[in-house]
């Protein structure tokens, strides 16, 4: 069980079958121990990235309603030191945000050196919901794929490693999860009146996702389509990609400096009398 990035120019499979767990699905207990093990590696790599303080990682999470972005953030990014994680949830743009270009609010939230940024929704909404609901003319959203590639290229060239996840669920799984939100009082808050209307546009969203992924899965910012009907599978697959991405970056703790050695000698030879009042 392992994900490959979508090659640029390839239309990803986004049908119901693509949301099901892979054929070589491990058992429940094995999935749990895989996530534990990945979590340990993830935490070690994240600590080194933070200490190195030279490069950043940006994980973009996109999904339909109930696709599992919140759960993935908790279960995967919750495995590392929260101090090194910067999560941004992008909602419908405010009046101020709308008075700027669509990447303005996004660029401001790009993680600084040493940090793993997580986007819960992202600039991709500007070619997804915006396209499906005709919020801008077609020429405007069509021009955005190239703009997004150029933006992400700029970030990649400036020390931000980007990985993008499309958490893909089936129509039936979304129905189940929406019903859950309506049935369980503590989940009611997650249900939005608009969710059913969005669901009716299922095929429009599929087309918009397919185009976005096909046109922007670059070598510098690849897309992974995560089969997300089963939550533990989703979490293990995302954790694997994060660990492999960080392993390729080989973050290093900064070496001991000459000053550190000298200061250490001073502290070692210190007697209590030296630090008296
Ligand atoms: P939620 O993720 O359930 O909190 O919902 C956030 C909402 O904000 C979703 O309905 C998104 O479609 C919407 N949203 C996010 N970004 C944009 C955007 N750029 N334009 C319009 N709607 C957006
Ligand atoms: Mg929602």
């Amino acid at each position: 069980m392992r994900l490959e990035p979508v090659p640029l120019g390839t239309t990803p499979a986004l049908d119901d079958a693509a949301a099901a767990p892979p054929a070589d699905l491990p058992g429940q207990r094995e999935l749990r121990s895989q996530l534990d093990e990945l979590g340990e590696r993830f935490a070690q790599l994240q600590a080194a990235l933070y200490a190195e303080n030279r490069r950043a990682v940006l994980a973009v999470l996109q999904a339909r309603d109930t696709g599992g972005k919140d759960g993935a953030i908790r279960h995967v990014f919750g495995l590392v030191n929260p101090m090194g994680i910067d999560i941004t949830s992008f909602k419908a743009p405010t009046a101020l945000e709308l008075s700027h270009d669509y990447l303005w609010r996004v660029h401001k939230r790009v993680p600084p050196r040493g940090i793993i940024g997580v986007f819960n929704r992202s600039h991709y909404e500007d070619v997804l919901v915006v396209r499906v609901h005709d919020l801008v003319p077609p020429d405007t959203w069509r021009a955005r794929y190239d703009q997004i590639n150029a933006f992400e290229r700029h970030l990649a060239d400036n020390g931000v490693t980007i990985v993008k996840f499309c958490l893909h669920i089936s129509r039936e799984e979304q129905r189940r999860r929406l019903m859950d939100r309506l049935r369980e009082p503590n989940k009611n808050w997650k249900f939005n009146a608009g969710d059913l209307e969005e669901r009716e546009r299922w095929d429009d969203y599929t087309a918009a996702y397919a185009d976005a992924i096909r046109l922007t899965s670059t070598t510098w910012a690849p897309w992974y389509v995560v089969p997300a009907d089963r939550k533990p599978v989703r979490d293990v697959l995302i954790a694997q990609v994060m660990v492999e991405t960080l392993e390729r970056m080989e973050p290093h703790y900064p070496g001991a400096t000459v000053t550190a050695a000298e200061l250490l000698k001073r502290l070692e030879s210190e007697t209590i009398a030296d630090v008296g009042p």
Side-chain angles (χ1 to χ4, degrees), residues 94-149:
T94 63
L96 175 66
E97 286 167 349
L98 280 173
S99 74
H100 288 269
D101 75 276
Y102 69 101
L103 292 175
W104 178 74
R105 68 172 182 166
V106 177
H107 203 159
K108 283 200 298 185
R109 301 299 305 163
V110 169
R113 301 179 203 290
I115 300 293
I116 297 176
V118 182
F119 282 180
N120 182 350
R121 301 187 190 268
S122 66
H123 44 303
Y124 284 94
E125 293 294 331
D126 294 287
V127 290
L128 293 167
V129 62
V130 165
R131 163 175 164 171
V132 170
H133 287 276
D134 294 314
L135 300 182
V136 300
D139 283 352
T140 304
W141 59 254
R142 267 195 210 108
R144 289 180 174 170
Y145 302 108
D146 284 345
Q147 293 164 2
I148 288 172
N149 286 341

Side-chain angles (χ1 to χ4, degrees), residues 104-269:
W104 178 74
R105 68 172 182 166
V106 177
H107 203 159
K108 283 200 298 185
R109 301 299 305 163
V110 169
R113 301 179 203 290
I115 300 293
I116 297 176
V118 182
F119 282 180
N120 182 350
R121 301 187 190 268
S122 66
H123 44 303
Y124 284 94
E125 293 294 331
D126 294 287
V127 290
L128 293 167
V129 62
V130 165
R131 163 175 164 171
V132 170
H133 287 276
D134 294 314
L135 300 182
V136 300
D139 283 352
T140 304
W141 59 254
R142 267 195 210 108
R144 289 180 174 170
Y145 302 108
D146 284 345
Q147 293 164 2
I148 288 172
N149 286 341
F151 170 65
E152 291 176 349
R153 178 71 201 231
H154 164 81
L155 297 180
D157 287 347
N158 285 277
V160 183
T161 297
I162 304 169
V163 275
K164 302 179 296 203
F165 298 98
C166 169
L167 279 47
H168 175 58
I169 54 168
S170 65
R171 226 180 265 242
E172 177 55 22
E173 182 64 19
Q174 189 190 53
R175 194 172 75 96
R176 268 197 290 267
R177 292 184 189 182
L178 286 171
M179 288 195 302
D180 257 15
R181 288 184 179 183
L182 290 168
R183 282 192 186 122
E184 291 186 34
N186 287 352
K187 289 188 180 172
N188 273 186
W189 67 274
K190 274 205 158 190
F191 187 89
N192 282 115
D195 287 355
L196 291 188
E197 201 192 307
E198 294 301 280
R199 177 170 167 77
E200 279 164 24
R201 300 183 191 239
W202 187 276
D203 293 335
D204 293 340
Y205 272 104
T206 304
Y209 266 104
D211 278 347
I213 293 169
R214 174 172 61 88
L215 296 168
T216 67
S217 195
T218 53
T219 49
W220 58 89
W223 274 106
Y224 294 84
V225 176
V226 183
D229 270 5
R230 292 270 313 272
K231 295 168 184 176
V233 173
R234 169 200 74 198
D235 296 337
V236 165
L237 289 171
I238 295 174
Q240 256 175 15
V241 172
M242 290 311 299
V243 165
E244 284 173 16
T245 301
L246 280 159
E247 277 174 348
R248 273 196 298 274
M249 291 173 72
E250 295 187 49
H252 287 299
Y253 286 88
T257 56
V258 177
T259 340
E262 281 168 6
L263 294 175
L264 183 63
K265 243 182 244 158
R266 245 170 72 184
L267 283 169
E268 279 167 351
S269 60

